Amino acid sequence: MSQPKRYTVTTALPYTNGPIHIGHLAGVYVPADIYVRYLRLTGNDVAFIGGSDEHGVPITIKAKNEGVTPQDIVDKYHAIIKKSFEDFGITYDNYSRTTAPIHHKTASDFFKNLHEKGEFIEETSEQLYDEEANQFLADRFVIGTCPKCGNEESYGDQCENCGTSHNATDLINPKSAITGNTPTLKQTKHWFLPLDKHEDFLKEWILKGHKKDWKPNVYGQVKSWIDDGLRPRAVTRDLDWGIPVPVEGGEGKVLYVWFDAPIGYISSTIEWAQREGKDWEPYWKDKDTKLVHFIGKDNIVFHCIIFPSMLKAEGSYILPENVPANEFLNLEGNKLSTSKNWAVWLPEYLEDFPGQQDVLRYALNANAPETKDNDFTWKDFQARNNNELVAIFGNFINRVVVLTNKYYDGVVPTPSEFTQIDEETLAAVKAYPNVIASSIERYRFREAGQELMNLARLGNKYLADEEPWKMIKVDENRTQTIMYVALQIAGALSALCEPFLPFTAEKLKNILNVSSSDSTKEINIENSWNDISTKDVLLPAAHQIGKAELLFSKIEDKTIQEQLDKLEASRKANEAANKKVEPQKDTITFEDFTKLDLRVGTILEAEKMPKTKKLLKLKVDTGIDTRTIVSGIAESFSAEEVVGKRVTVLVNLAPRALRGVESQGMILMTETPEGKLVFVNPDDSSVANGLQIS
């Protein structure tokens, strides 16, 4: 497409059964906001559209578990999500919700339009049914074995292990998520979108038309689906929560959430246009509009096959120019899991790290899962902040502002003659907008962010090479030129950092006393993105800047450890919840039991066995003798803390050599659900060593 007249940019609608976490941010919302902020800075007409996805089975399951209505659930989490996005600086033009009346009307009208055009197939088929619950088992109401990868906990609509989308009837050994019963098959009527009818169009549009400009992970997944052959897809469900099917025979049925959710982009745009007094249709129906969907990889099929087929069938809508889906972000080496609380939740981050939105934005973008799954670690987050934001970006700005205030009372000095290094540096600064823009427009946001940091590196190198703190003592004119050049770099950074570090951009513009979106001052210096390439002067001589203010602060080890401790608590809680009680062993006779000689004992001495992690060498008073016992408890107890412990000892166990030491018995232990070893011992101090336990 040549230069578009306008852009419509959408983000996947977050599901309102929980808050936003860093996986959502890295996969969808941070890259989308970078892209939109860049488009606005370069003077483009942009509609940035989002909203909450509030229908579907998981909402009803959560409501049932909590004893509230589905509306209660979506109201709660829509408010939390919307506020989190606002506080984090995601700059939607409109953030709506799919329970809004305008969405119900838009989705219903869309369905009726396709129905009247004969674009659906009506079929009566057998679907899974829970006799006890007296309802059909759509999507997440059923769990079974994935027919593709063998995951035994696949949902009825999608396997979260391999990402395959399927129908509930495809599952092997399905079970009702409501009662745990094995479902039966029962006939019901539904409307299907015949994806096979659109197969030739999809091959032409995607496999030929977007082979070179779509990301390989997106193109590859779509190609795999098309190559396997497309089949009709049901667009209705037997549920009572959702948008009622608006045609005859649709009683007791709703639109499938994946049919109604993407229409949410359209209804949100209509809502925005009505509020702003605009015409919404050019943003969805004009061929000079560029439509871009930002999503995660689990939504690729819906945005690249199903939704485009819906739009094509309707006939008047444009198709997405690109769908730059990211892969998944893991956390500390493990897959993010909302159900297991293995996540970094955005509301909690904003509370734990006040005023540090840009640190998370930067860290997530620097480690974005653009082409493969990546791992977020708190140590990397700390390093990105301390070694890059503080030590490179913040350090350069601080030095420039401090020196300008020290030497010139905060007034930009008049330069004298430029040297070759000055001219080369200023020329390099002018090149950065195009370099960063090229990366952004190719959806390489990680690369773009590093180019921004390279501009800060350029500033640091220039100061280190020219040493104005030394030059001031011997050549004041030269020092003025050095500081003037350094201030031009700072001015460029204040404009170019905004897509990546919007809160920092505001701070920096206030420090440099140039216009910003929240400025209350009368300032006539304003540098747009394109000005950095074309203007020779960004901060003119005699311009007054403000005092130094730290843009970033160092994050200490203690702060990071607190976050790691949170995750460790989640891990232990999950282990405890999943801990299975061992089944009873084979039955023994009373005579078998009497063969065991269990005695009360006391540990007299203990020492760690060399070159082992688990073993302690114990000297134990059993009442009948003092003997050596080697016990694998060193990871739970130190040698010092077990001395004097009363213990239960199996004394007639055959001796066994462990690491060259003969162990003459066994200490009885048990293990808590958290994995902690505990002594099985007599509590009464009057119980003497050597007494038998029976």
Side-chain angles (χ1 to χ4, degrees), residues 339-340 570-581 673-674:
S339 61
K340 296 178 180 177
S570 290
R571 185 186 66 78
K572 287 183 176 179
N574 288 326
E575 287 180 355
N578 295 327
K579 196 81 172 181
K580 294 181 179 177
V581 176
E674 293 79 22

Side-chain angles (χ1 to χ4, degrees), residues 7-10 47-50 93-96 102 106 262-276 278-284 291 317:
Y7 291 78
T8 301
V9 180
T10 73
F48 186 22
I49 302 299
D93 288 299
N94 199 61
Y95 189 82
S96 189
I102 194 168
T106 304
I263 297 173
Y265 302 142
I266 301 170
S267 62
S268 183
T269 307
I270 295 171
E271 186 178 75
W272 163 73
Q274 289 178 351
R275 187 182 68 241
E276 300 295 325
K278 291 176 175 282
D279 181 4
W280 72 271
E281 291 201 353
Y283 291 88
W284 278 95
L291 173 62
Y317 286 84

Side-chain angles (χ1 to χ4, degrees), residues 2 24 48 50 119 185 192 279 295 338 367 378 394 439 461 476 597 599 618 651 662 684:
S2 57
H24 302 128
F48 186 22
E119 293 292 340
L185 288 171
F192 290 76
D279 181 4
I295 59 168
T338 57
N367 198 31
W378 279 109
S439 297
K461 185 177 187 308
E476 290 191 7
D597 191 347
R599 303 272 179 152
L618 310 174
V651 295
E662 186 176 74
D684 194 327

Side-chain angles (χ1 to χ4, degrees), residues 94-108:
N94 199 61
Y95 189 82
S96 189
R97 55 192 307 189
T98 59
T99 55
I102 194 168
H103 175 68
H104 275 239
K105 181 180 187 307
T106 304
S108 295

Side-chain angles (χ1 to χ4, degrees), residues 653-670:
L653 184 68
R656 181 183 177 193
L658 294 171
R659 295 294 179 106
V661 176
E662 186 176 74
S663 180
Q664 300 168 316
M666 178 181 289
I667 307 291
L668 267 61
M669 310 290 295
T670 189

Side-chain angles (χ1 to χ4, degrees), residues 113-167:
N113 187 359
L114 294 191
H115 183 264
E116 289 166 6
K117 294 175 70 172
E119 293 292 340
F120 294 133
I121 300 170
E122 292 183 34
E123 280 189 5
T124 298
S125 60
E126 290 188 323
Q127 298 294 321
L128 299 178
Y129 188 82
D130 187 325
E131 299 284 353
E132 182 181 338
N134 193 31
Q135 73 175 75
F136 285 96
L137 299 177
D139 307 329
R140 313 240 158 167
F141 275 136
V142 59
I143 297 173
T145 301
C146 172
K148 185 169 184 179
C149 73
N151 170 31
E152 294 181 355
E153 296 185 352
S154 176
Y155 294 118
D157 59 343
Q158 190 173 35
C159 175
E160 293 198 342
N161 183 57
C162 67
T164 299
S165 178
H166 48 229
N167 294 313

Side-chain angles (χ1 to χ4, degrees), residues 182-208:
T182 299
T184 59
L185 288 171
K186 186 174 180 179
Q187 286 197 336
T188 183
K189 184 176 79 170
H190 282 293
W191 286 261
F192 290 76
L193 182 67
L195 294 177
D196 48 328
K197 174 183 173 181
H198 302 286
E199 199 168 298
D200 289 341
F201 143 68
L202 292 167
K203 286 179 179 177
E204 184 68 27
W205 173 56
I206 299 177
L207 300 190
K208 289 185 180 179

